[in-house]
Amino acid sequence: MIDFYTAATPNGHKVSIALEELELPYELHVLDLGKGEQKEPWFTAINPNGRIPAIVDRAEDNFAVFESGAILLYLAEKTGRLMPQDAKGRSLVMQWLMFQMGGIGPMMGQANVFFRYFPEKIQPAIDRYQGECRRLFKVLDTRLAGHEFLAGDYSIADIANWAWVRTHRWSGVDTEGLPHLQRWIRAIRARPAVQRGIERPPSDVLVRPDSEEKAQQFAAEARKMLETGQSRQ
């Protein structure tokens, strides 16, 4: 059994999707980020950085793993699935996983901050991060033009990138003119394990921000966290 500490965010859903795909038994613990539960001492003993997600593997002497990319690697290596065994195949998965960790995630995260959460609209910052997100989407589209998935077979690289890319509307970035990316988004969304994973826990507002009331409430809660210095604690 794995204890899974999370919230309804792309990074959290990366891990919930992987757990569902791998059919690993886990117990879900949803943290209230607005209340700062991720900063409480009991949780920082699991993740010193005070961020979700994190897991504790009871079968391995309660071994704790934090950072979403590290968790995906741990689970893939634990099960021997969603990761090739040969050196070149493993490297390809690692490259596209790092592409998400170093590019897609941070750029979309900053687009969210400036486009959705900051009370002032700083247009150069919005343009900068939305433009970089779009550029990265084009990189994915080019790769997917000749490949069904990012690194050979379906892998943790696809899970990691998809969990963020699917929320592109929330970041104010469209996927028009990127047919291969759109095909890939639909194909992964159709997987039963993925459908279960994004409900653990659900976060419709991140995918369908056209629900104005929910969108405003979500943005207000995120803004409050920024204004009270949660990110600096």
Side-chain angles (χ1 to χ4, degrees):
M1 179 68 73
I2 289 173
D3 286 303
F4 173 39
Y5 300 91
T6 190
T9 73
N11 283 336
H13 285 147
K14 286 155 63 171
V15 176
S16 58
I17 291 169
L19 287 166
E20 292 291 337
E21 289 280 12
L22 296 168
E23 301 177 296
L24 289 169
Y26 67 94
E27 185 171 345
L28 183 70
H29 306 276
V30 181
L31 276 65
D32 189 327
L33 305 185
K35 293 181 179 178
E37 290 182 349
Q38 73 278 19
K39 301 296 184 181
E40 294 180 2
W42 70 267
F43 185 69
T44 56
I46 297 170
N47 179 0
N49 196 33
R51 297 285 191 274
I52 61 93
I55 65 169
V56 174
D57 190 345
R58 299 181 196 172
E60 299 293 338
D61 297 320
N62 293 322
F63 183 65
V65 187
F66 67 94
E67 288 295 323
S68 59
I71 297 171
L72 292 180
L73 286 168
Y74 177 81
L75 296 176
E77 291 174 347
K78 177 183 177 72
T79 59
R81 296 172 57 194
L82 299 177
M83 168 73 84
Q85 299 301 309
D86 65 291
K88 289 182 179 179
R90 188 174 189 278
S91 177
L92 272 178
V93 170
M94 291 285 286
Q95 289 172 57
W96 287 104
L97 175 61
M98 295 305 112
F99 176 85
Q100 184 277 306
M101 298 293 296
I104 291 285
M107 293 302 103
M108 292 187 71
Q110 290 300 313
N112 293 345
V113 168
F114 288 102
F115 181 62
R116 292 283 180 183
Y117 307 149
F118 263 26
E120 303 87 11
K121 294 301 179 184
I122 308 172
Q123 198 59 47
I126 294 172
D127 293 344
R128 151 76 173 132
Y129 290 111
Q130 289 181 337
E132 182 63 5
C133 291
R134 177 71 183 188
R135 186 191 71 80
L136 294 170
F137 285 7
K138 289 179 180 178
V139 174
L140 291 174
D141 187 70
T142 299
R143 173 66 178 178
L144 292 165
H147 301 81
E148 182 179 8
F149 298 109
L150 290 174
D153 294 333
Y154 177 69
S155 71
I156 57 173
D158 296 289
I159 292 172
N161 281 277
W162 185 87
W164 274 94
V165 172
R166 81 181 189 103
T167 69
H168 64 91
R169 295 186 187 90
W170 188 251
S171 304
V173 183
D174 67 56
T175 61
E176 292 302 313
L178 303 175
H180 311 294
L181 181 66
Q182 292 175 335
R183 183 268 307 163
W184 173 82
I185 292 172
R186 291 192 299 269
I188 294 178
R189 183 183 290 121
R191 296 177 67 90
V194 171
Q195 293 172 18
R196 294 192 301 270
I198 58 175
E199 294 296 316
R200 305 285 285 168
S203 181
D204 287 347
V205 69
L206 288 177
V207 185
R208 294 192 294 273
D210 51 302
S211 174
E212 189 61 28
E213 184 177 350
K214 281 187 176 182
Q216 289 183 3
Q217 181 182 1
F218 185 93
E221 292 173 357
R223 188 179 303 117
K224 182 179 178 181
M225 290 177 63
L226 290 172
E227 291 173 346
T228 56
Q230 289 281 354
S231 63
R232 296 190 297 273
Q233 292 180 6

